[in-house]
Each structure stands twice: as structure tokens, then as C-alpha cells.
Amino acid sequence: MPTPPPPHDPTAPPGARGGPARVLADLDAVAAAAGPEAAGVLWRLAENPRGLDANLVRLRPGAVIAEHTDTVLDVLLIVLEGGGFLDAPEGRTALAPRTALWLPRHARRSLRAGPAGMLHVTVHVRRPGLAIAPVPAVAGTGAAQEGGEAACLLDRVCPDCGRLAGERDARYCSRCGERLPH
């Protein structure tokens, strides 16, 4: 009988990658250790290799994740503590502990934490990473296009999850709730 490949061997057959099933975190303990004033991403799935991303996020009372649309991913959001509201073109939906909310890609939405704040988990397929591509050639010339230096948008990039805020005046990440650098 052949020896099974090591858990993180990229050539391992499906099911063998990533090692055995295991508990990664006690989310109650993570939230308690962070303290009641901590907000933003308190925990994230960091195992590799993986096909999912997951975050434990705390929104302070009244905090808002501005209206946005994710054109790439569906997101599952599960409220653990507190509550709030989902605002969408279809109307407002109350969110309470143990509510599972599906946020399909292309759906406009915003979240608002209630008076007790909201502790929730988000889960989605791992977002594809950014890649640097060569500058395309000008059609018919073979010469690279010139365009100069792009405007710096680093103050709109979330330091925790890497999402670029679409709004120039955004203060918090619309994906994870983390404060943006300014």
C-alpha cells in the first residue's frame, strides 16, 4: 500500500489537501479576548491551502457598512450576537442572532448594526488575488501604451482584507468593517 502524500502537497488528490478536519477557533473566546470595544475583523481563516475565506467581524452600535455591490462573490453572513438591518432595494430586513443571510453577487446592499452592535461571521469562496499584467500594446503598432502614473488609492484600500473602497470619502471597509487609513 503506497504512503499517502503529506497534507499540504499540491499534488495530493482532492480530500487529501489541507490535512485533517480540525477546530480552528472558539469564536466566543476570540470575541471575549478582543474585548467589547474591539471592532472590525477579530478573526480570519488563514489556513493554506484553502478555497474559502471566513471572517469574524464586530460592528459597533449603529455602525454602517455603506451600500455596495460585490460583482465577484456570493457571501454567507451569520449573525452571532447583537443584530441590525440589511438594507437592499427590496427593503429592510431585521437581523437577529443566529440569522443566516445570503448576499448574492450583484445584489446591492448595506448593513447597519443595531443598538447592541453586531458580531457576525462572513464566509465566501476565496477571492482571487490581484495580479500584475504587462501593459497592452497599442493596436497595430506593437508599442506599449503610455499613461503615466495612476492616482494613489492606498488610503482607500482596507489594511485587513485588501478591498478597495469605491467611495472617495469611505471611512470603513464595506466588506469587513475595518477602519480605512486616512
Side-chain angles (χ1 to χ4, degrees):
M1 180 170 194
T3 304
H8 296 293
D9 179 355
T11 64
R17 296 180 71 189
R22 62 200 175 279
V23 173
L24 298 175
D26 175 337
L27 298 181
D28 287 333
V30 170
E37 295 302 313
V41 177
L42 305 180
W43 174 87
R44 73 179 63 245
L45 181 63
E47 302 303 297
N48 280 309
R50 68 180 190 277
L52 290 176
D53 277 333
N55 299 291
L56 176 64
V57 180
R58 180 181 286 139
L59 298 178
R60 288 192 176 103
V64 174
I65 296 178
E67 183 176 285
H68 64 286
T69 303
D70 190 327
T71 60
V72 178
L73 301 173
D74 296 333
V75 178
L76 175 67
L77 183 148
I78 301 171
V79 179
L80 301 178
E81 295 176 4
F85 300 94
L86 164 72
D87 288 314
E90 300 78 25
R92 176 171 271 194
T93 302
L95 303 174
R98 285 162 284 300
T99 300
L101 176 65
W102 178 50
L103 302 167
R105 72 183 132 228
H106 302 291
R108 281 189 12 229
R109 70 275 192 144
S110 68
L111 291 172
R112 177 177 304 275
M118 184 165 59
L119 181 69
H120 63 276
V121 173
T122 59
V123 181
H124 55 79
V125 173
R126 191 167 186 192
R127 185 173 296 277
L130 298 176
I132 297 174
V135 176
V138 176
T141 68
Q145 291 180 338
E146 292 189 36
E149 195 170 63
C152 181
L153 300 175
L154 288 177
D155 63 328
R156 291 171 44 191
V157 175
C158 177
D160 278 356
C161 71
R163 182 174 178 84
L164 176 64
E167 305 83 22
R168 186 176 320 192
D169 60 345
R171 292 185 170 184
Y172 296 91
C173 176
S174 62
R175 179 187 305 141
C176 70
E178 187 65 31
R179 184 166 182 80
L180 297 175
H182 280 286

